[in-house]
Amino acid sequence: MLSLRSIEKSYPLAGGQLPVLKGIDLIIEQGEMVAIMGSSGSGKSTLLNVLGLLDNFDAGSYHLDEVDMSELSERQSARYRSRFLGFVFQSFNLIAFKSALENVALPLFYQKIPRRERQKRALAMLERMGIADRAHHLPSELSGGQKQRVAMARALITTPRVILADEPTGALDSVTSNEVMDVLREVNSTGITVIIVTHEADIAARCDRTIRLKDGRIIEDGNSKVVIEPTAHGYTPDAS
Amino acid sequence: MIFSRELWIEIGHTVIANPMRTALTGLSVGLGIFILVVMQGLGFGLQNGVQQDFGDEASNSLWIRTNRTTLPFRGRQANRSIELRNADKEILTEKLFETPLHSARRMLWGSTIQAENEEGRFAVVGVNEDYDQLESIPLVSGRWLHQEDVAQSAKVCVIGQTIVDDLFKKKNPIGEYIRLRNVTFRVIGTFSRSGSRWTNSMALIPITTLQRVFEGADQVGRVIVSTGERSVEEASAMASMADGALRARHAVHPDDQRAVRVEDNNEQFAMYQRIFMGIRLFIWVIGGFTLFAGAIGVANIMSIVVKERTVEIGVRKALGATSGSIVTLIVVEAIALTSISGILGMIAGVLTLEFVAPFAEHDYFSNPAVNLNVTLTALGVLVLSGALSGLAPALRAVRIRPIEALRYE
Ligand SMILES: Nc1ncnc2c1ncn2[C@@H]1O[C@H](COP(=O)(O)OP(=O)(O)OP(=O)(O)O)[C@@H](O)[C@H]1O
Ligand SMILES: [Mg+2]
């Protein structure tokens, strides 16, 4: 269970601070599939990065399974990222000089799993993603969809509790986007929490719950069907 | 962690998968060490050559020689021949000053020397029993001239390696009889000075024998005396004493530079020492600059590399890498890369010297050896600078939050 209470964060800016998260209260239960929506600059990525322990926050508290994340040392948060969290990025962030297989196996390196075992599991994961035949290709030799599959395989290989995806379909066409969503739905069906930042209503529609951010605050939170509706037909900010 | 096989596989992979980066780092370190080794070797060879050229003579000796006068003096005309004779030598070595070693040296050029079947033209040189020490000539077989040989004007000789090779081929010459200028002598010893064909073409015989058998006169040629334990100043005083005494005896003008000459090897040696110092300093300065340039090159590449890898560092952190593991990865990679390319550069340098040395034998150049200590120190400096210059940007890169690294452009 992820629990945020009154999270605040601002970025230092020339001549002051730019508040980006202005008191976020949020609870996400294990096994939920959540979309985070909102206009550009509303703080979606910032929120996701806080959830993923990739960024810090200024005030409030963040508990992951009852453990206070603001108390963690650098080393401990590395451990949480390694054991609990998996990331999927819009720009894939594959390591360019490593093959698909090696990219997927890398998180296991940081869990001190032997090389043979790593490779075996990475191959199995690529198979599950349907791109085992590309195992020895470099990222530059893969299509966008294939890259995102490799990235998802890499996020899943440690069997994390939570997958955090920042616009995972942002760089993909709609068919490929749908395939990525198929994978994420399937992942979610195994009990893994999936949190997706997206601009696209039809991506959010495939999640169970949608949170809408505006200007660093949650302005809407509920069943995707209900929340997304206003956007599709001209959403007005004052409604809540 | 440093010794884990996994880490090395990861590093090996990074190094191989980034050939450009590897080549640049490798080149800047390898080339630096290569230049350093070759420079060192050449400088050392130069020093060796000069030293060898000088090493013919012991450093603590005076060489006394005479020639025709160039200036008239006390009613005598210029161009008068001055000869050093037994009496001169006696006055110098027994009355004028104490000297532990002394020798005459009179050369008879183009002397025919015959062995059983072979003959050739060499130099027959009359010397005293101390000569080998004054000239520091290495004996190869047999023995040197003894005092009795000189006292009894014995017809014995010690011959150089060139004569041995030319006249005896592979046969052992010790105890054999040879004819010097048609007089039979017994060979009692052989000597060889490496690289000096000139010295090795001499047959050394007692000065007394030379005077009696070949000249029927008492010229001694040059006189060489050791200055013993004297300091450079004392030796210099001894030299001017000899100079003054000989000028007085032979009525030579004080400004006549040619008629009487006393060369003080102490002073020459001091001069050579200064030259060697200069050469060494030169090598150090060049080496230092090479090293400095190499270190800067490595530091530069490392900081670029780490910058390039910032996003990768962010990705690794997102995947669960600790800062420590990332720093270790980068620093160990830097160390491995610099050491390996440094060692390769060193090997290339040594091989180059080995290859070049035989072609570069020259009067002032020989045996260009590599100073291993200096080379290893240089290697250490480069490896250290590689490690440090990897460490600094790596620490900076891991200190920032993962998201900053991921967003780095
Ligand atoms: N490192 C940073 N330094 C300063 N300001 C930042 C930084 N990162 C983000 N911001 C600002 O914080 C605000 C929120 O950024 P964030 O990336 O969370 O928005 P977003 O909702 O993900 O937008 P988008 O849909 O465009 O990705 C923006 O105004 C952005 O300019
Ligand atoms: Mg964003």
Side-chain angles (χ1 to χ4, degrees), chain B residues 170-189:
Chain B
K170 298 229 153 57
K171 216 170 133 224
N172 178 13
I174 304 297
E176 298 292 324
Y177 289 89
I178 61 176
R179 288 174 70 76
L180 309 180
R181 300 173 87 97
N182 286 323
V183 179
T184 303
F185 280 71
R186 187 161 52 88
V187 178
I188 57 169

Side-chain angles (χ1 to χ4, degrees), chain A residues 22-98:
Chain A
K22 302 170 179 169
I24 300 282
D25 290 299
L26 179 63
I27 290 178
I28 296 173
E29 299 291 349
Q30 186 62 41
E32 279 195 89
M33 180 133 177
V34 184
I36 301 176
M37 293 194 74
S39 53
S40 184
S42 57
K44 305 182 294 293
S45 294
T46 307
L47 176 60
L48 198 76
N49 293 333
V50 166
L51 286 171
L53 302 176
L54 296 179
D55 209 346
N56 53 12
F57 49 90
D58 304 330
S61 69
Y62 171 21
H63 287 81
L64 207 166
D65 283 347
E66 318 296 324
V67 181
D68 188 354
M69 290 294 119
S70 55
E71 304 279 286
L72 294 186
S73 69
E74 173 12 86
R75 214 183 165 75
Q76 285 168 318
S77 46
R79 195 182 148 77
Y80 266 93
R81 288 194 292 268
S82 173
R83 305 272 163 176
F84 283 77
L85 308 171
F87 297 92
V88 179
F89 304 96
Q90 178 177 0
S91 53
F92 321 121
N93 276 332
L94 298 175
I95 294 179
F97 61 84
K98 286 179 177 287

Side-chain angles (χ1 to χ4, degrees), chain B residues 3-19:
Chain B
F3 297 104
S4 101
R5 193 169 147 262
E6 292 285 345
L7 176 71
W8 283 105
I9 292 174
E10 181 69 19
I11 286 171
H13 186 237
T14 312
V15 166
I16 291 164
N18 295 280

Side-chain angles (χ1 to χ4, degrees), chain B residues 233-259:
Chain B
E233 291 77 29
E234 289 167 339
S236 171
M238 182 172 162
S240 34
M241 220 152 85
D243 188 75
L246 290 174
R247 282 176 197 277
R249 252 179 80 73
H250 295 279
V252 172
H253 192 284
D255 295 335
D256 194 330
Q257 297 298 311
R258 194 175 72 179

